[in-house]
Amino acid sequence: MHQMHQQRRLAAILVADVVGYSRLIGQDESRTLRRIKAVRREVVDPNIAEYRGRVVKTTGDGILIEYPSAVEAVGCAVAIQRTMAERNAEMPVDQRIELRVGVHEGDIVVDDQDIFGDGVNVAARLEALSEPAGICISGRVYEDLAGRLELPFEDRGEQQLKNIARPVRIFSLGREAITGLTAVPRLQDEPHPTDFSQWFGTAPSAWLRTRSVRWAVVLVAALSVTGVVVWQSTGRHGAPGQVRAGLAGAPPAQPRGPTLAVLPFDNLSGDPNQEFYSDGISEELITVLSRFDQLRVLARNTTFAYKKKTVEMQELGRQLQAQYVIEGSFRRVPDQISVTAQLIDTRTGTHVWAQSYERPTTSTSLLSIQNDIAQHIGAAVGDIRTGAVAKAELERARAKPAAELSSYECVLQGYQASAAQSAAEPMRRARACLEATVKRDPTYAEAWAILTRVLQIQHSWGTGLDDNDKGIDVPRILEAANRAVELAPENAVAHFALFFAYSVTCQTERMRVETDRVLAINPNDANALGLMGSLLAYAGDWDYGRKLAEKGLALAGPAAPSWWWWVVAKDYYRKGEYAKALEVFQRSYSEQNWLDRLHLVYTLPHLGRIDEARAQIPALMKLKPDISVREADRLYALWCFDADFRDRMVKALRLAGLPEEADANRLRQGDATAPQSQR
C-alpha cells in the first residue's frame, strides 16, 4: 500500500483566486473556463516556474503554491498581477479576470503531496483581505523582503484573522501600486539561503572544517541576524512618515457592528463536575455568534478571565470595550437541563433580552443539547434582522439625524425596511442611506448586500418608488450582489444577496447553489432560512424550501415574520389541501396586509365559501387599489410561481368577483386618498 509521509518545514505559501468567479461563470461558463485556462497557461505557470514555486493544489477558481522563500513568492505574485493588469487594460471592467493574492511564510505540515498548517491558513485569510488585482502579505513576509525586494507596501496594522489564534500584521499592495511599478521585480542571481557554503564565497573548505572557526562563523551569523531584526524593528517601522496607518479602499480589520462578550455561564447544579458543561455552552455560543459577521465577538481567553469574578456591568463594558455582554446560568437536575441567558447593554446596564431553555436529557446526548441551546441563543441575539442586538442598536439610532447614521446603522435600516416590504417611506430612506453608504464606504460588503435586497423588493413590489423613478433594472441588482460577493466571498450575507438577485429572474438552480453556500457558512441564520426557503419554494423547489422556512420559524420563534408561514400555506394550496392552507393563512392574517386578504379571496372559493371571499374584496381594493385578476397573476409570475398555481388562483379570484382589470378612475381616486406609506 502507498504510505503517506508527514514532515514539517518552513515555507512561503501563496494563495490566489479569481475575483467574481460566480459572476463570470454566470455570464458565459464555457468562455470563462477557456479564459482562465489561458491565464494559467500563459501567465501563472511560467512565473511559477521562474520563481521556483510548486503547485500544491488547484480548485475551479483558486490555486495554492509553495515557494522556498518569501522573496520568491512575492516576486512571483507581483509578476503575475503586473502581467494580468496589462492583459486587462483593454478589457471591459465586467469581463476582466482578476486575482486576489495572499502570501505568508510559516510552519507547514507536508502530508505526501499536500500541505496543511497555520502557514496555509494565514495565507488563505490574507488572500480574502486582498483587494482585486492586489496582494496581501504578513508582517513576517514583509520583514524578509527588506533589502531584497523594495515594494511600496502599505501597513494595515495588526488584525485578528478568523480562526487564527494571534493577530497578524498585514501589508497591502494595491492595483495602482502594482501597475505603477517601473518594472516587474526579478530575482537576483544570489546563492540559495539553504546552501550554507555559498554565503561565504570561496572560503577554503579546510578553514570551514575547523571546529572553532565553525562556531565563530555561526556566532557572527547569529549576531548579524539579530542586528538586522533590531534595525528593522526600530529603524524601518519607527521612521516618521515611512508607514501609513491604513490602505484606502481596503477592507477594514473589524466588523462594523457592536462588540459582544460572552461570559462563562454559572454552574448552579451544586456539582463541580458539571463545570465543563456550563463552560461548554459559553464556548459553543462564542462559536455560533462569531458566524454573524457584523458583530465583534470577543475570544474565549478574554472573557473567561472574568470567570467567578464580580464586576459591575458598566465597568466590565469599559474594560472589555464591549457594548453588550451575555451572561447566563446552567442547572442540571435529574432528567432535565435548564439554561438561562440574558443580554445586557453595558452602556446603560439594562437588560435588553432574556430567555430560558429547558431540555430533557432522556432522549438525546448532552453535547447535542448544548449545541441546540447555543444555536437558539445565537439566533435570538445575533441575527441582524430579528436579533436582540440589532433591535437594540436600531432603537438607539432612531434619535440620530439621518446624516449622522453610521454605515452599520444604515444597514440596520435596510434590514428593517426589507422586513416591512410594503412601507414606502422606510424603503425610500433605507435605499438613500445605503446608496450613500456604498459611495462613502465602498468596501462594506454587507451594505452592498442589503442594498441588493432593497432593490429586489422595489423591483418586485414597487415599494417606495417615486413617480419619476422608472423602476429598478435587473443588471443593477446583479451588479450590487456581485459586488458584495467579490468583497466578501466567505460572507453568508453576500451570497444571500446573490440568491436574491437570481430570484428576480427565477433561476432556481442558481438560487439553490447560493442557498447551500449561505447555509454552509451559517446554518442557523433564521432570517436566511425563512427568506430563502420561501423564495425557493415559490420558484418550484417546494419540499426543500418549505423545510428551510420551517427551520427558520423554529429558530426565530415569536420574532419570526408572520409571512414566513405563507410558504407552508401555499404548499398545502398547490397540493389541493385547501382547508389546511386556509388554516395557516388565518394564523398569519393581518387586516392591514392586502396580501393576507388576497390569500383568503383565492382560497375560500375552493372550499365552496364564495360569499366569504367576495366579502373580503372591498377591503382588499381599499388597501391595494390597483389589484385585479391580471395584476395578481402578473405579481405571482414575477415571484416565480408556476402556471398551475397561478391558473387555480386566477379561477378562484374570478369566482370571488375580483375585477379582471384595474379601473383607472378608481386608481386616481384611491391614489389621492391613500396614506403616504401605501403609495
Side-chain angles (χ1 to χ4, degrees), residues 158-436:
E158 284 195 344
Q159 299 189 23
Q160 186 64 59
L161 305 182
K162 187 176 180 181
N163 295 330
I164 304 300
R166 296 180 179 178
V168 176
R169 191 162 192 172
I170 295 174
F171 293 81
S172 290
L173 195 64
R175 181 204 315 264
E176 294 182 4
I178 292 172
T179 55
L181 295 173
T182 56
V184 175
R186 297 294 174 188
L187 293 182
Q188 298 176 353
D189 294 329
E190 61 181 8
H192 197 280
T194 58
D195 189 351
F196 183 80
S197 64
Q198 292 185 41
W199 283 95
F200 300 93
T202 57
S205 57
W207 182 81
L208 284 174
R209 283 196 296 270
T210 305
R211 182 178 179 185
S212 59
V213 175
R214 285 202 306 267
W215 278 108
V217 170
V218 171
L219 179 59
V220 169
L223 290 172
S224 300
V225 170
T226 303
V228 170
V229 171
V230 171
W231 171 75
Q232 289 175 343
S233 299
T234 60
R236 288 179 60 86
H237 299 303
Q242 184 99 13
V243 178
R244 289 185 287 275
L247 175 63
Q254 299 290 340
R256 290 164 174 81
T259 299
L260 177 65
V262 180
L263 296 180
F265 277 38
D266 294 328
N267 173 24
L268 303 182
S269 299
D271 180 1
N273 292 328
Q274 299 298 319
E275 199 81 11
F276 78 95
Y277 195 84
S278 58
D279 288 352
I281 291 176
S282 305
E283 292 169 357
E284 182 64 22
L285 181 54
I286 290 171
T287 301
V288 171
L289 286 168
S290 67
R291 297 188 184 120
F292 295 99
D293 293 333
Q294 77 278 3
L295 298 176
R296 298 174 174 92
V297 182
L298 297 182
R300 176 194 188 280
N301 292 344
T302 300
T303 56
F304 269 61
Y306 290 85
K307 186 172 182 177
K308 296 182 179 179
K309 292 183 179 179
T310 303
V311 183
E312 193 266 334
M313 276 297 163
Q314 289 171 293
E315 176 60 26
L316 182 65
R318 284 190 288 270
Q319 291 181 16
L320 294 175
Q321 296 184 335
Q323 289 77 49
Y324 294 94
V325 166
I326 294 178
E327 63 176 8
S329 63
F330 158 79
R331 186 189 302 274
R332 184 177 183 184
V333 296
D335 301 331
Q336 185 171 288
I337 281 175
S338 177
V339 174
T340 63
Q342 48 198 7
L343 179 71
I344 301 166
D345 187 331
T346 62
R347 293 160 292 192
T348 61
T350 58
H351 289 67
V352 296
W353 171 89
Q355 187 64 281
S356 297
Y357 303 88
E358 294 183 352
R359 299 288 188 272
T361 59
T362 53
S363 58
T364 188
S365 69
L366 293 179
L367 183 60
S368 297
I369 295 172
Q370 172 184 294
N371 293 345
D372 175 63
I373 291 175
Q375 288 166 9
H376 276 79
I377 297 173
V381 171
D383 189 286
I384 196 168
R385 197 181 76 167
T386 61
V389 169
K391 288 181 178 178
E393 288 294 291
L394 192 59
E395 190 62 34
R396 291 176 65 90
R398 291 187 196 283
K400 290 186 178 182
E404 295 180 12
L405 291 175
S406 68
S407 297
Y408 171 71
E409 288 164 338
C410 283
V411 166
L412 291 181
Q413 299 239 344
Y415 277 104
Q416 183 188 44
S418 66
Q421 293 197 5
S422 60
E425 189 55 35
M427 190 69 69
R428 273 193 287 268
R429 286 199 309 268
R431 178 177 158 193
C433 195
L434 288 166
E435 287 181 332

Side-chain angles (χ1 to χ4, degrees), residues 550-579:
E550 288 178 328
K551 183 178 179 182
L553 285 163
L555 281 172
S562 60
W563 63 266
W564 289 4
W565 286 102
W566 294 352
V567 68
V568 178
K570 290 175 181 180
D571 190 31
Y572 284 133
Y573 186 94
R574 76 175 183 95
K575 294 175 179 176
E577 300 179 45
Y578 302 113

Side-chain angles (χ1 to χ4, degrees), residues 32-81:
T32 296
L33 293 175
R34 286 197 304 271
R35 292 177 62 208
I36 290 175
K37 287 180 180 178
V39 167
R40 173 75 190 273
R41 181 178 63 252
E42 299 166 14
V43 180
V44 177
D45 285 349
N47 280 295
I48 293 173
E50 180 175 346
Y51 289 85
R52 298 192 284 266
R54 177 180 77 87
V55 176
V56 179
K57 66 175 77 170
T58 61
T59 60
D61 61 339
I63 189 166
L64 172 65
I65 312 168
E66 177 190 2
Y67 294 85
S69 76
V71 176
E72 290 159 322
V74 174
C76 184
V78 174
I80 289 173
Q81 294 291 50

Side-chain angles (χ1 to χ4, degrees), residues 95-107:
Q95 295 180 27
R96 292 176 180 174
I97 292 180
E98 294 182 317
L99 304 176
R100 284 191 183 89
V101 176
V103 180
H104 178 58
E105 188 177 47
D107 189 47

Side-chain angles (χ1 to χ4, degrees), residues 7 100 193 221 394 411 451 459 461 526 541 556 592 654 677:
Q7 58 173 303
R100 284 191 183 89
L394 192 59
V411 166
L451 177 60
H459 171 84
W461 299 72
D541 200 345
Q592 298 306 309
R654 287 173 178 152
S677 63

